[in-house]
Structure formats: structure tokens, C-alpha cells
Amino acid sequence: MTAQAGRQAVEASPAAFLFQRLRGALAYGLRNPMLAAGLLILLLLLAIGWLGPLFVSPELAQPASAPPDLAPSAEYPLGTDDQGRNLLAVAIVGLPLTLQVGFIAGAVALGLGTILGVVAGYVGGVVDAVIRGLADILLTVPGLVVLVTIAASIRGVISVTVMALVVASLAWMWPTRTIRAQVLTLRQRSYVQVAKMSGMRTHEVIFFELLPNLLPYLAASFVTSTGAAVLASVGLEALGLGPQNEPTLGMTIYWAISFNALVRGLWWWWLMPIVLIVLLFMSLFLVSSGLDELSNPRRRRKYR
Amino acid sequence: MATTEPPRRVLRLSRSHVLRRIGLFFLVVWGAATLNFFLPRLAPGDPIRERLFRMSTQGGYTQQGIEEMVKAYQAEFGLDQPLWLQYLRYLRDIVQLDFGYSLTLYPAKAIDLIMSALPWTIMLLLVSTILSFVLGTLLGAGLAWRKSPRSLHITVGPLLALSAIPYYMLGLILVYVFAFVLHLFPLSGGYTAGQLPTMTPAFFLDVLHHSVLPAASIVLTSMGSWALGMRGMMVTTEGEDYMTFAEMRGLRDRTVFLWYGLRNAILPQFTSLALALGHIVSGALIVEVIFTYPGVGSLLFQAIQGADYFLIYGIVFMVVVAIALATLLVDLAYPLLDPRIRTGSK
């Protein structure tokens, strides 16, 4: 694919090339509706965070900026909570924060997983045994429960970034396992063998031969890791272990639970975070299924 | 299940498997205990002091009394001794399931609180896990089978959507619709408040009534992944010769489906069961919070809210042990289910 694109870039002008690629992407999106729909929802969710502050001041997400417990109305489209937060503002501030936790944790987990997976798969031997053993053991451990220990111990200093790192600390095992498996198949290929025999060093083979071929796979893994990280962080936050002063979606659920919003019939309070999180999961699921199709050549060939 | 292999080799192979698995179990338990020991010591701040300070601002104790209490706690836990000695003492206590006292409910020991909550969680999880496993597996097998009714296939979409959302989110919606609006089920709790837990049928029905919604939110959200996994496996079974042969022999559809198709496709599902347990438990703990179900999840929530560190660490340790044990049992039972593993061909 890259070789073909390179040839086209040389032949045509940059603008025509860009246009062609765009048209190709659009045509591909139409044939891969899962990816297109997923990206569309994700873009919509991102737009809430980007464009929202133009219409509603983020300061209204702080307590006591509105009368408490109001049902949705013209003035407060998503209602207000027990402490007088404008829930529309909470959605606009909280959604990007939750996305941020997911993206940071997903990136860190995938980064760690890629390094460990590539090293384990390529170097092999004792290194492989140690890394695989550690990942296997940690996979059987209930992640959320162990994260509770970690988050509870550093409760006072939890910020959005720390939250993401806590979640990432137990999210690298699955990427490690799957990337290791991919590397094992790649290292047997002839071009890697040739590179090795032509005197390339280990890290050169990894960077120039293995990683470029893993990229489509890594993209799909990143989406999966992000989804898993959002799931874990919202779970921790719902238990009250999130950043106490940030109105993330998980913390909104926590406040709604601790103030008995359910029993008191304040449905708008907990429904907003649920709808947004479910939409987020749907979009990530669709994107990862779509990317899976893209990165799996056997399935992609159908569309050519 | 006759095998052509000499029996001694079978025994030796499974014994090393068993020993390795048991070793892994103890490794996980030891790891969890060690994490619980070192994390609070690496973390900024002193949990005990923080907790007691909190109490002082609420209860109006004097500052001096606090320092004495902190000292008393430090002496109790031997915090003045070298770290390795503390660690060994700690491991000894853990083996005896002694997690110290609860800070919020002081005279109560953490282990007693956990032990009274554990049966609720285990029952809820046992029933809902088995239910979702059986229903999901059957549904998945049905989805892949050519002769199943067309109407079955429209369930795929909703199932996918349900399995994409966390357990507790569906729980919130279920409580609102079926308990708050329709009054069909109780809003919260494990049994009607004020009633004494007894062994009568009436009390049992009451417990059952209270467990329907929490169980449903777990079953509905985890069924999808079982169904999808099973469908994948069943599709490969579908093309096997023995399936065609069984059909040609004129066996009844139900027999072919259950004993030739399902039985051969189900094995990998048990491996997934072992891996999925941790995931289910993590989700179920938050489900309990939403339904104020008297299990470990609600206890954990209270402990976190009250900064009751010994109770938190005790619960985490017990849950890790419980899941590790369940995974161990599933893994050990697996060779009994799969004759291929017993003969050593892996």
C-alpha cells in the first residue's frame, strides 16, 4: 500500500494526490460503514468538548452555580444536580476529561505493551519467558480490584493524568500478549531474515522492519486499549476513587449514587453520563471493528 | 474415554500441570498481599493519620489524643520495627486472615465484616455467571446453527449493544424502570429491611426477589460475549464430517445440536470462563453499590467513603484470592472435560 502510494505521489501533483487519497478514504468509508459510523460518533463526542465551551461557560460545571435539583428545562437543558452544577456544563467539561483519561491510559498501556511485546517476541529466551509469565499472572488478577488498592493509597493526589497512569499500570498485559504473537509471525518472514543477515542490529530490525508492519495493528489496539481504560477509570470513579474536584463522567455517576439520585427520581443526573459513556463505547467498538477489517489483509481484499 | 496412551504418562503430565497451576495460585496470592503491604508505605501521606485526623474534625477530639492513637496503632502494627520484620509479621497475619480492625466500625475486625458480606456476593455471582454462561452459550450455538429459527438472528444487534456497556450502567437503568417507575422489584438491599435473615422459604423468596435486578444487569450485559465466542466455535464445528454423518444417520435435530455440535464446540468457552471471572467480579462489585446489595462491593464502597484502609486492603485481598481460587478450579476441571488434554496431545 505504501509503495503504491509513493509511486502515485511522484507521478501526480501534491494537490491531486491529496484529493485522490481523500476520495479513496471516503469511498472506503462507504464500504466500511462500521469504521465510518464509529468515527462519526467519536467526532461528535469530541465536538461537544471543542465547541461546547463556546455556548456554555465551563465555570457552570462547578458546584453552586445554579439552583439544585432542577429537571431539564429551557434554561438548564440537562437539568442541575444536588450541588447546583449545570449538568450541560458538566457534560461539556467532563466528556473531554474522560476521553483524556482514556487516550492517555490507552497510549501508555499500548506503548508499554508494544515495547514489551516486541522485545519478548523478537529477543525470545529468558526475556520472553519473564515478560510472558508476568503478563499471564497479571491477566488472571481482577484489574479493577487491584486498581482500587492503588487508587485508594494515593487518593489525595489523584488528578486526571495520575488517574490515567494508574489505569495504564494494569492495562499493558493484553497488548503485550497480542503484539508478541504478531512479532512471532513477523520474525519468520523472509524480509526480516534478510535484514538480519545483511547485518542490521537488533534495534534497527525492530524499528525499521517490524514496527512499520505492526502499525495498522497498533491502531486497532489503541482503540481497544482506550475503551478498556475508559471502562476501568469510570469504574474506579463510580466507587469514589477519581479526581474529587474534576467533573469527569465517572465522578458524576459517583455523586449521583452517593446523593441517592436514583431513589429520589433525579433521573437526568445519572442518565447524562450513562448516555455519553454508552455512545463513547459504541463508537470505540465500531472503530476497532472497522480497523480490524482494515488491518486484516484477508478481509480487506474483498473490497479491492 | 478409553485412551491408547499408557496410564502412567497421563498421570505424570496432569500432575505437573496441577502443580504448576497451584504454584501460580500462590504466586498471585503472595503478589496481592505484597502489593497491599508496600503500596500504603510508598504512597504519599499516612493513611492512618489521615483517617484519624478526619475523625477528629468530625468528633471533636483533641490533637493530642490523635497523636496517641497514631502511636498506639503504630505499636500495634509494629511500625517502629525494621521493614523486613514488619513484612514477615504482616505475611503471618495474612495467612491467618487477620487484616486488623476496621477504622470506621472500630471494634469489628475487617475479616468478620468481609466474611458476613462474602456469601451475598458469591451467591449473586454464582447464579448470574452460570445463568449468563448457559444462556449465552446456547444462544451463540443457536446463532451458528443452520436449522435454528430466523427470529433468533435479530437478537445479535441488541446483544452486541448490551455487551458494549458496563454492567452497572444497565443496572442504573433497570433500577429506575423496574423499581422506581414500575414498582415491580425492590429499589435496594438484599432482603426487606427489618426482617431477620432466617432459613424460611418466605425469606428465601424475599432474597430471590431482591436479587432479580442485580443479577439481570450482570446476565444481560455478559451474555453477549459468551454468545459471540460460542458462535465462532460452533461455525467451525458445523463443517465437520461427524456433524454431517450424525445428520445422515437420521438422529433427531436436538440430539445432533446438543451432543454433536455443542459438546464439541463448548470446550474453549471454559477457558474463557476462567479469564472472564475477574472481569465479572469487578463489574459486579459496582452493581452491588447501585443496588445497595449487602455484599463485598457495597462494603468496599463504604470503606472507600470512610477511608477505612485496613478494610479496603482486606477486601481487595479476599477478592483476589477468591478469583484466583475460582480460576484455579476451572483450570483444573478443564482436563476432565477435554479428553484431548488428558491424553497429553495438548
Side-chain angles (χ1 to χ4, degrees):
Chain A
M1 190 170 135
T2 23
Q4 194 192 351
R7 236 180 294 130
Q8 280 170 350
V10 178
E11 283 163 13
S13 71
F17 171 64
L18 200 69
F19 177 71
Q20 201 175 11
R21 288 305 290 267
L22 268 176
R23 212 183 54 180
L26 197 71
Y28 184 77
L30 289 177
R31 283 174 303 187
N32 190 343
M34 272 189 152
L35 184 62
L39 284 176
L40 195 71
I41 302 175
L42 198 60
L43 212 65
L44 264 169
L45 292 176
L46 286 170
I48 293 180
W50 286 331
L51 303 177
L54 299 178
F55 302 100
V56 180
S57 164
E59 281 160 31
L60 297 176
Q62 295 300 318
S65 52
D69 300 335
L70 290 181
S73 63
E75 195 180 350
Y76 301 102
L78 295 181
T80 64
D81 74 2
D82 213 45
Q83 290 146 308
R85 295 184 184 89
N86 180 342
L87 285 170
L88 180 63
V90 169
I92 287 168
V93 178
L95 182 63
L97 287 176
T98 298
L99 275 168
Q100 198 184 330
V101 173
F103 283 145
I104 297 177
V108 172
L110 187 63
L112 270 176
T114 308
I115 296 170
L116 291 174
V118 168
V119 168
Y122 189 72
V123 178
V126 184
V127 181
D128 182 30
V130 170
I131 293 177
R132 200 183 38 172
L134 202 62
D136 276 357
I137 292 172
L138 285 176
L139 270 178
T140 62
V141 164
L144 187 74
V145 182
V146 175
L147 291 182
V148 164
T149 321
I150 303 175
S153 301
I154 54 169
R155 199 176 177 204
V157 294
I158 280 192
S159 65
V160 168
T161 314
V162 172
M163 186 80 198
L165 294 180
V166 168
V167 170
S169 70
L170 270 188
W172 53 269
M173 294 89 72
W174 195 248
T176 301
R177 286 294 305 268
T178 52
I179 288 164
R180 176 184 167 275
Q182 290 276 317
V183 171
L184 281 183
T185 69
L186 283 180
R187 66 182 279 196
Q188 300 303 331
R189 306 269 170 90
S190 47
Y191 67 87
V192 177
Q193 301 292 340
V194 169
K196 251 201 296 195
M197 277 187 279
S198 69
M200 270 177 120
R201 302 224 186 113
T202 304
H203 66 267
E204 285 173 333
V205 177
I206 289 175
F207 275 107
F208 299 114
E209 304 296 332
L210 292 182
L211 281 183
N213 287 290
L214 278 174
L215 276 179
Y217 186 77
L218 290 181
S221 301
F222 174 64
V223 179
T224 319
S225 308
T226 302
V230 171
L231 183 68
S233 73
V234 171
L236 281 180
E237 287 168 359
L239 286 171
L241 290 170
Q244 301 284 322
N245 300 320
E246 305 276 10
T248 60
L249 298 180
M251 286 313 286
T252 310
I253 293 179
Y254 168 69
W255 294 123
I257 296 174
S258 19
F259 283 90
N260 288 320
L262 257 166
V263 188
R264 291 162 61 199
L266 311 172
W267 54 267
W268 57 90
W269 191 353
W270 50 263
L271 197 62
M272 178 275 286
I274 286 190
V275 169
L276 288 180
I277 289 170
V278 169
L279 276 178
L280 181 56
F281 275 116
M282 292 286 178
S283 71
L284 291 175
F285 174 77
L286 289 170
V287 171
S288 80
S289 314
L291 280 177
D292 199 33
E293 203 174 88
L294 186 71
S295 66
N296 190 341
R298 202 174 291 164
R299 298 182 64 182
R300 192 177 52 199
R301 206 163 288 148
K302 277 194 305 201
Y303 296 104
R304 284 244 163 126
Chain B
M1 295 196 198
T3 135
T4 50
E5 301 273 338
R8 216 201 291 147
R9 193 182 154 213
V10 175
L11 259 180
R12 199 189 304 151
L13 220 151
S14 54
R15 191 190 292 159
S16 80
H17 170 75
V18 167
L19 284 180
R20 214 180 48 236
R21 257 328 256 107
I22 292 177
L24 186 66
F25 167 76
F26 281 111
L27 201 63
V28 167
V29 170
W30 170 72
T34 306
L35 186 80
N36 277 352
F37 178 80
F38 284 106
L39 257 181
R41 284 163 179 79
L42 293 175
D46 180 349
I48 302 171
R49 201 180 297 261
E50 184 202 317
R51 168 68 205 156
L52 292 173
F53 256 85
R54 257 212 211 190
M55 273 163 62
S56 82
T57 48
Q58 283 160 8
Y61 288 98
T62 58
Q63 208 82 321
Q64 215 173 1
I66 296 296
E67 282 309 317
E68 272 162 24
M69 277 172 86
V70 171
K71 278 213 183 79
Y73 250 106
Q74 283 178 336
E76 154 111 25
F77 289 90
L79 294 182
D80 35 357
Q81 284 165 349
L83 200 64
W84 63 270
L85 205 65
Q86 285 182 42
Y87 181 58
L88 287 183
R89 270 182 60 157
Y90 166 82
L91 285 184
R92 186 200 61 199
D93 289 346
I94 288 289
V95 170
Q96 297 166 343
L97 292 181
D98 182 359
F99 306 116
Y101 294 94
S102 159
L103 288 167
T104 34
L105 305 159
Y106 173 64
K109 296 207 81 170
I111 185 65
D112 296 332
L113 293 170
I114 297 169
M115 279 306 174
S116 63
L118 210 53
W120 291 94
T121 301
I122 289 178
M123 279 312 286
L124 180 65
L125 274 175
L126 212 59
V127 172
S128 51
T129 307
I130 291 173
L131 217 60
S132 73
F133 180 80
V134 172
L135 289 177
T137 303
L138 278 175
L139 190 68
L143 283 175
W145 204 41
R146 276 177 290 119
K147 291 186 177 168
S148 60
R150 290 261 110 215
S151 57
L152 204 61
H153 292 265
I154 54 166
T155 56
V156 175
L159 264 183
L160 267 178
L162 277 178
S163 61
I165 69 172
Y167 304 102
Y168 41 95
M169 305 229 161
L170 186 68
L172 277 166
I173 295 169
L174 287 183
V175 184
Y176 185 74
V177 175
F178 291 101
F180 187 79
V181 177
L182 298 176
H183 298 287
L184 285 176
F185 294 99
L187 270 166
S188 63
Y191 51 90
T192 306
Q195 213 174 0
L196 282 174
T198 48
M199 279 297 166
T200 58
F203 181 73
F204 180 74
L205 279 179
D206 189 45
V207 169
L208 203 65
H209 192 210
H210 279 76
S211 67
V212 169
L213 287 184
S217 57
I218 297 173
V219 171
L220 286 173
T221 42
S222 55
M223 226 166 75
S225 58
W226 296 126
L228 289 178
M230 189 61 191
R231 188 177 66 162
M233 253 95 68
M234 192 73 174
V235 166
T236 59
T237 321
E238 190 78 59
E240 298 280 348
D241 289 342
Y242 57 77
M243 286 290 279
T244 326
F245 185 62
E247 273 172 46
M248 278 162 56
R249 272 172 69 194
L251 295 175
R252 270 185 304 170
D253 281 350
R254 204 180 57 188
T255 316
V256 176
F257 176 69
L258 286 178
W259 296 109
Y260 288 77
L262 196 115
R263 189 172 140 52
N264 285 298
I266 204 171
L267 284 166
Q269 290 282 90
F270 287 103
T271 330
S272 318
L273 184 64
L275 267 178
L277 273 172
H279 182 59
I280 294 173
V281 170
S282 297
L285 292 184
I286 310 178
V287 168
E288 284 185 8
V289 173
I290 284 159
F291 290 92
T292 2
Y293 204 71
V296 176
S298 297
L299 191 65
L300 180 65
F301 187 65
Q302 286 165 28
I304 290 171
Q305 284 201 311
D308 196 341
Y309 290 97
F310 297 116
L311 191 51
I312 296 176
Y313 298 137
I315 291 171
V316 167
F317 182 76
M318 286 303 281
V319 171
V320 170
V321 170
I323 294 174
L325 200 62
T327 322
L328 175 69
L329 291 179
V330 173
D331 273 4
L332 291 186
Y334 190 62
L336 300 179
L337 297 164
D338 189 350
R340 280 166 299 188
I341 285 187
R342 277 214 294 195
T343 54
S345 59
K346 212 183 173 186

